[in-house]
Amino acid sequence: MDKFRMIFQFFQSNQESFMNGICGIMALASTQMYSAFDFNCPCLPHYNLAYGLGILLVPPFILFLLGFVLNNNISMLAEEWRRPQGQRGKDPAVLRYMFCSMAQRAMIAPAVWVSVTLLDGKCITCAFCTSVPVESLGNASHPRLSQGEIERVLARIPCKDIYNGQQLIANEVAVRYLRCISQALGWCFVLLMTTLAFLVRSLRPCFSQAAFLKSRYWSHYIDIERRLFDETCAEHARSFAKVCIQQFFEGMSTDLVTARCHLPRKAPADAGEAAEKLLGITDQGTMNMALKSWHRCKPPLHLHPPALPTGNGWAGEGQPPTYPSAPRRETAAYYSWV
């Protein structure tokens, strides 16, 4: 249990670790789904291709969309992309970094599904069984069948129980031929994905390391700022609710004292602390205005903007802004041992 707790704490340490854990779980889930999936080829000439390629491509697309849905940054990316300009500019490089990061993680589970499917070979066998070269692998001169009848016989290759074309081509030969091709495609796909991942990880810092660090930093900043804003709003809502409930019970106590029912109770000591956390926002309209202002014009990302001088003067018109300087106090202390 301690190891699982440590792993869970590692996944919760930051957003990237959490999403890496989610993608790993989805990759394992995709393999389990494929192993539990009951593959039944229709064994019909016009349906085998659609069924085989559908099983090969449709679940990876669903897993790709599911990877975006489970990623918490997708809503943050949409908000940052659609928000008004306001007092803070939007950096397209940061948006591209966030989208590429989510896309790379969302591609893990589909890549695992495609790799497992190709290495297993059932989908390729079902989809391309009618394309088996009978001239080189079978006895094409034995029966006098039309092209449609030959395709109907070859379409039953994945269904060993109803296959009746042993004299045309042996079922084991056709299945092994198609499975070898499928496994070769599977290993090529794994090699291609591994090579692409290696190139992205190794060559990207060599060309744009400064831009990459900048985009990564501001992506983390947007995530942290959003979480802190949510926590601040939740804390304000808690304090607002506490003060509202306190005022309600104080009013009820006053009414009960007027009606001579019982004595009023003393107000709790933390009511003043809750009122201080409201920061002057004490009604619904002001809070709604603050939330709209945060969405429309976020504050600029400079805490203490200095007035930069130019060659012979200040950048702005007029006199440079003056800031009141804090008085300096010097204190001398003398110690003597007598």
Side-chain angles (χ1 to χ4, degrees):
M1 292 299 296
D2 294 337
K3 293 182 179 181
F4 286 106
R5 189 180 296 108
M6 292 176 60
I7 294 174
F8 186 72
Q9 291 176 357
F10 172 76
F11 286 157
Q12 285 187 331
S13 59
N14 53 58
Q15 186 70 13
E16 288 190 356
S17 300
F18 176 75
M19 290 315 304
N20 290 335
I22 292 295
C23 293
I25 293 174
M26 288 184 59
L28 294 176
S30 64
T31 57
Q32 293 296 325
M33 288 170 57
Y34 183 79
S35 61
F37 177 71
D38 189 11
F39 188 89
N40 292 316
C41 186
C43 295
L44 295 174
H46 302 290
Y47 297 95
N48 285 6
L49 182 62
Y51 183 82
L53 295 182
I55 298 300
L56 180 64
L57 301 177
V58 173
F61 179 73
I62 297 175
L63 292 173
F64 181 74
L65 295 181
L66 188 61
F68 271 99
V69 170
L70 295 179
N71 199 321
N72 296 329
N73 291 338
I74 185 64
S75 59
M76 181 177 65
L77 175 62
E79 292 175 4
E80 185 67 16
W81 179 50
R82 293 294 300 172
R83 72 172 177 86
Q85 189 75 14
Q87 299 180 6
R88 182 189 303 179
K90 293 183 287 186
D91 193 352
V94 178
L95 300 179
R96 287 195 301 268
Y97 172 81
M98 294 170 61
F99 178 78
C100 293
S101 179
M102 288 186 293
Q104 290 174 8
R105 291 184 175 90
M107 282 293 295
I108 296 177
V112 172
W113 177 278
V114 173
S115 302
V116 173
T117 304
L118 290 176
L119 292 176
D120 185 58
K122 293 180 181 177
C123 290
I124 298 298
T125 303
C126 179
F128 299 100
C129 57
T130 56
S131 301
V132 175
V134 182
E135 295 81 3
S136 58
L137 298 178
N139 186 13
S141 61
H142 173 65
R144 293 182 179 179
L145 300 176
S146 63
Q147 187 65 27
E149 293 176 347
I150 293 177
E151 289 185 358
R152 192 177 300 108
V153 173
L154 295 178
R156 299 176 182 177
I157 290 177
C159 305
K160 190 175 181 179
D161 298 336
I162 61 175
Y163 181 67
N164 56 355
Q166 292 289 344
Q167 298 178 354
L168 179 64
I169 183 174
N171 182 270
E172 293 80 4
V173 174
V175 170
R176 181 168 297 184
Y177 172 79
L178 294 173
R179 184 166 294 179
C180 290
I181 295 177
S182 179
Q183 290 178 353
L185 293 176
W187 285 117
C188 291
F189 179 79
V190 173
L191 180 61
L192 177 62
M193 292 293 104
T194 306
T195 305
L196 288 178
F198 171 76
L199 292 177
V200 169
R201 288 289 185 178
S202 59
L203 297 182
R204 180 173 57 182
C206 298
F207 294 98
S208 58
Q209 180 66 13
F212 171 73
L213 290 176
K214 183 191 71 173
S215 302
R216 184 176 183 180
Y217 175 85
W218 290 116
S219 175
H220 288 313
Y221 174 83
I222 293 173
D223 180 38
I224 294 173
E225 184 186 50
R226 183 188 183 188
R227 287 191 282 112
L228 289 177
F229 184 78
D230 292 340
E231 293 175 2
T232 305
C233 290
E235 184 178 1
H236 184 276
R238 182 180 179 85
S239 302
F240 192 84
K242 185 181 292 185
V243 174
C244 286
I245 294 172
Q246 180 62 33
Q247 291 180 357
F248 169 76
F249 279 101
E250 287 179 355
M252 290 295 297
S253 300
T254 304
D255 296 340
L256 292 176
V257 169
T258 305
R260 296 180 181 179
C261 293
H262 63 79
L263 296 176
R265 296 181 179 180
K266 186 178 180 180
D270 57 349
E273 298 179 0
E276 292 179 357
K277 294 179 180 179
L278 293 178
L279 302 176
I281 303 177
T282 57
D283 62 291
Q284 183 179 3
T286 308
M287 189 64 201
N288 292 337
M289 186 182 301
L291 295 176
K292 291 180 181 179
S293 177
W294 175 262
H295 172 69
R296 292 176 180 175
C297 50
K298 289 186 177 181
L301 296 178
H302 53 86
L303 302 179
H304 300 288
L308 299 177
T310 57
N312 297 323
W314 293 84
E317 296 181 358
Q319 297 296 328
T322 59
Y323 298 94
S325 59
R328 299 179 58 186
R329 298 179 60 186
E330 296 182 357
T331 304
Y334 298 94
Y335 301 91
S336 62
W337 295 88
V338 181

